């Protein structure tokens, strides 16, 4: 490592004619690769020499002076580092927020010169991460309102818990999963701005709270490695909660979540919502997200009901004027409603849903809508009725489907999904939703108290089609059922004589008598002779059954008595069932 540093940094400086720009270029290259070196102090020692050489022949700007201050701070040149910081700000450097969190300057934090500099240039209206931690340590209910919050995620992320405690000056109590334990406290941030000079995420992280409220705020916010009993984003009447970008990452909610916000990008990932609503809430809203964003992603997250008393309302997701929505690898282990209009791209895949799912109000884009039905195979599509205090599930019983309006709404939903699957050539999903649509029609016909003859006929045909071909979606199932029908009729014909087999049955009986009698030939040879005759008799009976099933009116019926009428019945049944098979086969070929 030392040799590499000497070759890349020191040796080129020994040349003649090095300009100020040459020095700064090499310093910038070293700064950009600083994170890849294990011994940061060693690199910074080289950087100190480069900056000294550069500043001796040129006039540095604020950024260059700041980088020189960081290098000197790392190697222990504290006074020199503070002088460079003072010169940087005097020369127009605007990065106070970055300086405040920069770990490279931690050796200076208690120096009088640095404290004076921080006091001089710190904006009065800005709240920083460690300010919030100190307030939460002192009070049960903390409000931060009408301020700008600078919570630089790229820098705070690098802090260890020991670093955080040292900067805050407090030895915090930690939870079992190493979060700062504010579990009985509420943090309210209202009419505030999450913003810094670099337009990056501002983060609240590594703490456990009773309640976190974001009310009428704006900017870019990240919640990471955080626990809360209640998580609330509130918007005022003027829709002031304009959070341009929101990232919820590795957050656990153990009570309820209500998120109302709008902006450009919303991401919820790797998070868990274990919903348990208190008794005093009459509406039982556990998860409600009203999101008006251009793009939204819900990834690898879990939404559970752990309700101890009473019944929860469905989990609600409203997507308002959204262009792109992606829900992937998430678990919705309770009744869920997805509602809103998606303009350009909808991707819902590899998820699991609970018992009931309402997507009646979800408007799909004309193209680029991908939501395989396999993820909802154990879920019933319903409609939630919100006319009362507590939503009611509609469409889950035959009585509900007697309502023509509800039936039309659900049928329209199935038809929209079916058309979408066909347009994407997703045959499996198209077949699944078509089967549900026909089952819905059967349930609706059953709900009619006084059916007409035509309605009764349609009901029976639908039931037969569902049993025999899964409503023309499974010709393979029709073949299997046809095989069993042929087999059953074939066994029946074994007991009756026919023109095709006049001797095998009497011969089998004779062979059986020989088999059970004691004789010099033993039992083996008579047994195989009897079985051969039995197989021939069964084969002839199967041939008759097959012929009767697939051929209607094939001439003289080669059997007598009851078998003759059964044969006619089988012929009619075969003609009808094979017609259904043909319909199913053509439906799948043309789909």
């Amino acid at each position: 490592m030392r040799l590499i540093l000497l070759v890349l940094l020191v040796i080129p400086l020994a040349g003649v004619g090095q300009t100020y720009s040459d020095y700064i270029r090499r310093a910038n290259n070293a700064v950009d690769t600083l994170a890849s070196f294990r011994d940061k102090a060693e690199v910074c020692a080289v950087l100190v020499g480069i900056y000294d050489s550069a500043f001796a022949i040129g006039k540095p700007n604020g950024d260059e002076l700041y980088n020189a201050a960081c290098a000197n701070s790392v190697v222990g040149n504290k006074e020199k580092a503070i002088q460079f910081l003072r010169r940087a700000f005097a020369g127009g450097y605007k990065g106070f927020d970055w300086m405040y969190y920069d770990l490279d300057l931690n050796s200076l934090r208690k120096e009088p010169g640095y404290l004076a500099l921080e006091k001089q240039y710190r904006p009065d209206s800005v709240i920083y991460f460690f300010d919030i931690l100190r307030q939460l340590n002192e009070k049960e209910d903390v409000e931060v309102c009408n301020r700008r919050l600078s919570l630089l995620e790229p820098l705070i992320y690098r802090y260890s818990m020991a670093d955080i405690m040292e900067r805050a000056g407090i030895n915090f109590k930690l939870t079992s999963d190493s979060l700062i334990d504010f579990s009985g406290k509420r943090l309210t941030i209202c009419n505030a701005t999450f913003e810094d000079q670099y337009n990056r995420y501002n983060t609240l992280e590594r703490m456990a709270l009773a309640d976190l409220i974001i009310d009428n705020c704006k900017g870019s916010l990240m919640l990471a490695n955080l626990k809360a009993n209640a998580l609330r984003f509130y918007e005022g009447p003027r829709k002031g909660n304009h959070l341009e970008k929101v990232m919820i990452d590795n957050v656990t909610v153990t009570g309820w979540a209500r998120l109302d916000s709008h902006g450009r990008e919303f991401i919820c990932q790797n998070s868990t919502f274990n919903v348990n609503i208190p008794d005093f809430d009459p509406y039982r809203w556990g998860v409600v997200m009203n999101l008006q964003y251009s793009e939204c992603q819900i990834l690898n997250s879990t939404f559970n009901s752990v309700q101890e008393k009473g019944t929860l309302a469905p989990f609600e997701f409203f997507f308002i004027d959204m262009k792109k929505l992606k829900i992937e690898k998430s678990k919705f282990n309770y009744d869920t409603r997805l509602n809103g209009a998606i303009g350009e791209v909808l991707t819902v895949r590899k998820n699991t849903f609970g018992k009931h799912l309402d997507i009646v109000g979800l408007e799909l884009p004309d193209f680029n809508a991908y939501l395989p039905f396999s993820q909802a195979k154990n879920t019933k599509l319903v409609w939630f009725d919100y006319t009362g205090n507590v939503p009611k599930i509609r469409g889950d019983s035959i009585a509900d489907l007697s309502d023509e309006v509800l039936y039309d709404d659900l049928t329209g939903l199935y038809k929209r999904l079916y058309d979408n699957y066909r347009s994407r050539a997703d045959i499996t999903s198209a077949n699944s939703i078509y089967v549900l649509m026909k089952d819905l029609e059967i349930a609706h016909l059953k709900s009619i108290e006084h059916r007409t003859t035509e309605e009764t006929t349609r009901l029976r045909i639908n039931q037969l089609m569902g049993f025999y071909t899964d409503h023309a979606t499974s010709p393979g199932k029709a073949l299997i059922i046809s095989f069993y029908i042929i087999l059953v009729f074939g066994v029946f014909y074994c007991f009756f004589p026919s023109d095709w087999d006049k001797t095998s049955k009497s011969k089998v009986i004779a062979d059986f008598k020989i088999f059970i009698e004691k004789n010099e030939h033993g039992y083996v040879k008579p047994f195989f002779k009897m079985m051969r005759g039995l197989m021939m008799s069964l084969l002839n009976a199967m041939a008759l059954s097959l012929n009767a099933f697939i051929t209607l009116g094939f001439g003289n019926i080669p059997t007598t008595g009851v078998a003759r009428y059964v044969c006619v019945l089988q012929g009619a049944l075969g003609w009808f069932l094979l017609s259904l098979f043909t319909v199913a086969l053509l439906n799948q070929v043309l789909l």
Side-chain angles (χ1 to χ4, degrees):
M1 181 63 73
R2 292 177 181 273
L3 180 60
I4 294 175
L5 287 172
L6 287 172
V7 171
L8 294 182
L9 300 175
V10 178
I11 293 178
L13 298 179
V16 179
Q18 293 289 320
T19 66
Y20 179 82
S21 296
D22 293 333
Y23 285 116
I24 296 302
R25 187 183 307 111
R26 295 192 180 281
N28 290 340
N29 291 338
V31 169
D32 290 340
T33 59
L34 196 58
S36 62
F37 290 96
R38 292 182 180 179
D39 191 346
K40 195 172 185 178
E42 186 175 10
V43 181
C44 287
V46 177
L47 276 172
V48 167
I50 296 175
Y51 282 123
D52 286 346
S53 299
F55 296 168
I57 61 174
K59 183 178 181 180
N61 61 32
D63 290 337
E64 293 159 357
L65 287 165
Y66 178 81
N67 288 337
C70 291
N72 278 276
S73 173
V74 171
V75 299
N77 299 333
K78 297 181 181 181
E79 287 300 323
K80 191 175 179 181
I82 293 172
Q83 291 176 12
F84 279 135
L85 283 177
R86 189 176 293 110
R87 288 176 60 188
F89 280 97
Y93 180 68
K94 302 296 185 182
F96 180 88
D97 292 353
W98 192 273
M99 182 196 75
Y100 182 84
Y101 291 111
D102 198 334
L103 282 167
D104 290 344
L105 299 177
N106 273 5
S107 66
L108 311 179
R109 303 295 182 189
K110 298 179 181 179
E111 297 296 318
Y114 172 83
L115 293 174
L117 187 70
E118 185 175 297
K119 182 178 181 180
Q120 179 181 356
Y121 289 101
R122 173 170 174 159
D124 294 335
S125 62
V126 179
I127 295 291
Y128 293 93
F129 182 64
F130 304 110
D131 300 328
I132 294 174
L133 295 183
R134 294 185 189 105
Q135 290 187 49
L136 284 168
N137 188 64
E138 296 171 359
K139 297 187 292 184
E140 297 296 314
D141 195 344
V142 174
E143 289 190 4
V144 179
C145 298
N146 303 304
R147 308 291 287 273
R148 178 172 76 84
L149 282 79
S150 179
L151 312 167
L152 274 171
E153 186 274 333
L155 293 180
I156 295 176
Y157 172 78
R158 300 176 190 174
Y159 274 71
S160 67
M161 187 56 71
D163 292 331
I164 291 174
M165 290 185 183
E166 182 178 355
R167 283 298 306 274
I170 301 169
N171 187 22
F172 292 112
K173 176 185 176 183
L174 301 181
T175 64
S176 59
D177 44 0
S178 300
L179 302 179
I180 302 174
D181 191 359
F182 298 135
S183 54
K185 302 187 177 185
R186 172 187 294 176
L187 173 61
T188 302
I189 301 174
C190 59
N191 302 314
T193 301
F194 297 97
E195 189 176 69
D196 58 74
Q197 298 101 320
Y198 307 97
N199 194 28
R200 302 185 184 185
Y201 277 118
N202 286 261
T203 182
L204 288 169
E205 62 177 68
R206 284 183 274 185
M207 63 180 77
L209 296 162
D211 201 352
L212 175 59
I213 301 173
I214 309 296
D215 187 0
N216 278 346
C217 296
K218 61 182 180 179
S220 299
L221 173 63
M222 172 184 284
L223 304 179
N225 301 312
L226 186 144
K227 282 187 176 181
N229 182 58
L231 177 62
R232 293 180 275 178
F233 289 8
Y234 285 153
E235 286 196 319
R238 297 182 180 180
K239 282 191 171 292
N241 217 19
H242 183 78
L243 295 171
E244 184 70 11
K245 296 194 298 181
V246 173
M247 168 79 78
I248 298 175
D249 187 11
N250 195 25
V251 170
T252 300
V253 176
T254 57
W256 46 290
R258 298 177 189 174
L259 310 183
D260 293 88
S261 184
H262 66 284
R264 181 168 56 86
E265 180 182 72
F266 181 94
I267 300 174
C268 175
Q269 63 184 18
N270 308 316
S271 296
T272 301
F273 297 78
N274 293 319
V275 179
N276 184 17
I277 298 295
D279 291 340
F280 60 78
D281 186 340
Y283 298 103
R284 303 287 178 164
W285 299 103
V287 174
V288 179
M289 296 189 184
N290 293 301
L291 306 174
Q292 188 174 357
Y293 282 84
S294 297
E295 299 184 20
C296 175
Q297 299 183 52
I298 300 176
L299 310 173
N300 196 33
S301 295
T302 302
F303 300 84
N304 296 315
S305 168
V306 293
Q307 186 67 26
E308 297 176 354
K309 296 181 180 180
T311 303
L312 280 177
F315 296 160
E316 296 279 350
F317 298 85
F318 293 90
F319 308 110
I320 306 167
D321 298 331
M322 192 167 291
K323 292 182 179 179
K324 298 179 181 180
L325 171 63
K326 184 177 185 180
I327 303 176
E328 188 171 274
K329 297 181 181 179
S330 295
K331 298 178 180 179
F332 300 84
N333 298 325
Y334 188 67
D335 297 344
T336 302
R337 183 189 187 196
L338 305 180
N339 197 5
I342 313 301
E344 296 179 3
V345 181
L346 171 65
T347 303
V348 182
R349 68 189 191 105
K350 297 183 179 180
N351 304 290
T352 58
F353 292 93
K355 186 177 180 181
H356 300 108
L357 175 64
D358 179 359
I359 55 174
V360 174
L362 184 64
E363 297 181 21
L364 309 181
D366 295 333
F367 305 98
N368 298 320
Y370 182 60
L371 58 164
F373 195 72
S374 57
Q375 60 195 320
K377 61 183 178 181
N378 298 319
T379 302
K380 191 162 188 178
L381 298 181
V382 297
W383 174 64
F384 296 126
D385 183 358
Y386 289 84
T387 55
N389 287 342
V390 179
K392 297 179 181 179
I393 298 172
R394 304 291 304 278
D396 195 30
S397 66
I398 292 178
D400 287 339
L401 296 177
S402 62
D403 185 334
E404 292 289 342
V405 175
L406 174 59
Y407 172 69
D408 290 343
D409 286 341
L410 290 175
T411 302
L413 167 63
Y414 289 154
K415 183 62 167 60
R416 283 189 287 124
L417 291 174
Y418 178 72
D419 291 341
N420 172 263
Y421 292 140
R422 288 194 61 177
S423 68
R424 295 185 59 87
D426 186 352
I427 306 303
T428 301
S429 293
N431 285 339
S432 298
I433 201 68
Y434 185 76
V435 169
L436 288 180
M437 187 161 55
K438 298 303 290 185
D439 288 342
L440 187 71
E441 182 183 3
I442 290 173
H444 176 63
L445 289 170
K446 284 182 177 180
S447 70
I448 301 174
E449 291 187 10
H450 304 290
R451 290 189 295 270
T452 64
T453 302
E454 187 274 335
E455 289 171 337
T456 301
T457 303
R458 195 171 50 159
L459 171 62
R460 301 309 175 202
I461 290 176
N462 278 338
Q463 289 174 325
L464 177 61
M465 287 287 288
F467 169 76
Y468 187 60
T469 65
D470 280 343
H471 300 292
T473 64
S474 179
K477 181 180 180 181
L479 286 178
I480 294 172
I481 293 176
S482 297
F483 170 77
Y484 284 116
I485 291 174
I486 292 170
L487 182 63
V488 170
F489 277 92
V491 172
F492 174 80
Y493 294 141
C494 281
F495 298 97
F496 294 88
S498 71
D499 295 344
W500 293 1
D501 186 9
K502 297 181 178 180
T503 61
S504 66
K505 294 177 180 58
S506 58
K507 193 171 185 307
V508 169
I509 294 173
D511 290 339
F512 178 72
K513 290 179 179 180
I514 294 173
F515 171 69
I516 62 176
E517 291 177 354
K518 293 183 178 180
N519 56 74
E520 67 278 7
H521 300 291
Y523 290 100
V524 176
K525 186 175 180 181
F527 172 76
F528 281 107
K529 185 177 180 181
M530 179 191 68
M531 290 303 297
R532 184 181 65 179
L534 183 61
M535 293 300 296
M536 288 302 299
S537 179
L538 181 60
L539 181 62
N540 289 330
M542 288 298 171
L544 174 60
S545 178
L546 177 63
N547 195 52
F549 187 81
I550 66 175
T551 308
L552 182 64
F554 57 85
N556 183 41
I557 299 175
T559 187
T560 59
V562 175
R564 174 185 290 268
Y565 301 106
V566 172
C567 190
V568 172
L569 177 63
Q570 186 187 8
L573 179 63
W575 168 79
F576 184 70
L577 294 182
L578 287 178
S579 298
L580 298 184
F581 164 75
T582 303
V583 170
L585 183 62
L586 290 175
N587 178 62
Q588 293 304 293
V589 170
L590 298 177
L591 189 60

